[in-house]
Amino acid sequence: MARTVNFFAGANSGDGFRNLFHEIVDLEATYDLMILKGGPGVGKNTFMREIGRTLEQTGTPVEYLWCSGDPDSLDGVVLPEVRCAVVDGTSPHVLEPRYPAAVDRYVDLGRFYDLSAAKTDAEAVKTYTHAYQAAYVRAYHSLKAARQVELDAVTAVGKAFDADRARRRVRGIIQRELRESGKQTGKTTRRFLGSITHKGYIWRFDSVEALCPRVYEFADSWELAGESLAAIHGAAAERGWDTIACMAPEEPDRLEHLLIPGLGLAFVTSRPGMDYGRKPYRRVRLDAMTEPENKARLRFQTRMAALLREEGVAALREAKANHDRLESVYNPYVDFDGVRTLAALEAGRILSWLG
């Protein structure tokens, strides 16, 4: 059975949409990257699912990248063993070819619209487009307010954190777990493990389980783990291990989870709203390494941030509902048989390269 893993390349945050799409693949080492173009409801998700399903059936490992706007829809499919991928290259994560045809290329699904028929519903298209875009603006305003409250609490807790104690613990983990790999330098792939969505928070800890049977859980309610994870990541790279660095949606330069598949070893952060929910190999209790003052104020700030995020999620639900209405306008005017036929042809092309 093919191994599948699930991540996000985009995430919602207090600063709007966070985007790692330009890092989905290393173009210098990629054979073929299909960049899908075409508007709402044109069949991009259908196309990508067909590619993933076909390659899974051959036993080829598949990485699915899910959409933060709709975590049941795909933003991309990566096929690392074939050095191929297909990705949604439309707004808000626009991609353009760097090495056209030689490496990356457009796949135009807009050809499957019935243009004449679609133009008869132009007013509905405009109405729902404006509505879902306005809902995203409201969502990001609420998420930004939540983040500002949260950062005040994080700063207060951080002042009382025994960072030296955490560093000693991490040094012991590095010495015990990270032997030399035999390679000079490890490769880092950056992803998001999850995002806040119209369904609330979605975290794909199933990917951790699929790749890494041994998991260190950092119990960390206050964003204290970043320095520890960065140290482990640096040591792993120096020893030649390839890693999957799962960044914090609120701060894409801060590590939140680290996977080292070659060692079957992962380091995950767990907190309310991002609960690992499984029995770890080891648990590091960073929360026990801080003793902040004014805990009543921290509890108040936590409740306030949660309420503001609920408002953000409500707006994301409204955005999703209007986007669904927009797609329902387009769907009758899309030749989905044509989309599936093209996907089958492209999957066949990939299989020919696999052989």
Side-chain angles (χ1 to χ4, degrees):
M1 184 176 179
R3 187 196 71 202
T4 63
V5 293
N6 303 279
F7 294 99
F8 291 75
N12 298 307
S13 79
D15 285 325
F17 182 70
R18 297 293 200 171
N19 186 348
L20 298 177
F21 273 72
H22 287 85
E23 303 178 39
I24 285 176
V25 295
D26 175 4
L27 282 178
E28 304 303 320
T30 295
Y31 189 75
D32 188 65
L33 170 63
M34 289 179 274
I35 301 173
L36 301 185
K37 296 295 184 178
V42 79
K44 297 185 290 293
N45 181 62
T46 298
F47 185 98
M48 289 185 279
R49 284 183 184 273
E50 184 70 18
I51 296 290
R53 181 189 63 79
T54 301
L55 271 293
E56 273 192 63
Q57 289 176 345
T58 70
T60 303
V62 179
E63 177 188 358
Y64 291 104
L65 299 173
W66 298 96
C67 173
S68 60
D70 179 3
D72 296 318
S73 292
L74 286 168
D75 271 342
V77 173
V78 181
L79 308 165
E81 288 194 358
V82 200
R83 297 187 297 127
C84 295
V86 54
V87 62
D88 179 352
T90 62
S91 180
H93 35 73
V94 175
L95 289 177
E96 302 293 341
R98 185 188 304 171
Y99 307 117
V103 177
D104 42 353
R105 57 193 172 97
Y106 293 125
V107 176
D108 176 23
L109 299 186
R111 75 182 85 169
F112 297 109
Y113 281 135
D114 181 336
L115 294 180
S116 297
K119 287 183 180 299
T120 64
D121 275 327
E123 290 308 311
V125 166
K126 293 174 186 177
T127 296
Y128 295 137
T129 297
H130 295 156
Y132 92 76
Q133 290 174 342
Y136 267 110
V137 170
R138 291 196 300 276
Y140 290 141
H141 284 166
S142 294
L143 295 179
K144 185 176 185 65
R147 183 60 178 163
Q148 289 171 334
V149 172
E150 186 175 65
L151 281 175
D152 285 343
V154 166
T155 299
V157 174
K159 291 177 180 177
F161 180 50
D162 188 347
D164 288 338
R165 180 181 170 190
R167 292 185 192 111
R168 290 194 297 271
R169 184 71 185 273
V170 166
R171 284 195 294 269
I173 292 171
I174 291 171
Q175 184 177 13
R176 183 168 60 251
E177 298 287 2
L178 300 184
R179 65 180 185 274
E180 296 288 340
S181 72
K183 287 173 35 179
Q184 192 168 23
T185 308
K187 172 188 172 185
T188 298
T189 300
R190 297 208 315 162
R191 296 287 189 262
F192 295 117
L193 193 63
S195 175
I196 193 166
T197 76
H198 74 94
K199 295 183 174 182
Y201 277 113
I202 300 288
W203 301 105
R204 298 308 305 252
F205 284 113
D206 55 305
S207 296
V208 177
E209 297 294 302
L211 295 170
C212 303
R214 289 190 302 133
V215 177
Y216 278 75
E217 177 189 14
F218 285 83
D220 174 22
S221 301
W222 305 104
E223 301 179 16
L224 303 169
E227 181 183 333
S228 297
L229 290 170
I232 296 168
H233 179 225
E238 288 173 4
R239 289 160 171 75
W241 294 105
D242 293 342
T243 59
I244 302 172
C246 297
M247 314 310 294
E250 294 289 358
E251 296 176 32
D253 292 329
R254 174 170 57 84
L255 262 172
E256 217 163 40
H257 316 280
L258 179 66
L259 284 61
I260 312 175
L263 288 171
L265 182 65
F267 301 87
V268 305
T269 303
S270 187
R271 65 170 184 263
M274 191 172 69
D275 185 11
Y276 175 54
R278 297 160 174 82
K279 184 177 180 180
Y281 172 68
R282 293 282 190 275
R283 182 174 285 112
V284 181
R285 301 183 186 277
L286 294 182
D287 286 345
M289 299 182 192
T290 185
E291 191 59 40
E293 299 177 356
N294 203 342
K295 293 183 179 178
R297 179 172 176 78
L298 290 176
R299 287 193 295 270
F300 171 79
Q301 289 172 316
T302 299
R303 289 196 302 272
M304 182 61 68
L307 289 170
L308 288 165
R309 281 211 170 86
E310 286 178 12
E311 286 295 306
V313 170
L316 290 173
R317 282 199 299 270
E318 185 178 339
K320 172 65 166 58
N322 280 293
H323 196 270
D324 286 348
R325 294 182 185 108
L326 179 63
E327 289 192 333
S328 71
V329 172
Y330 278 113
N331 282 166
Y333 309 135
V334 175
D335 176 9
F336 283 101
D337 288 338
V339 172
R340 293 187 185 93
T341 298
L342 180 60
L345 288 171
E346 293 292 358
R349 195 197 307 264
I350 294 170
L351 289 173
S352 73
W353 296 330
L354 183 62

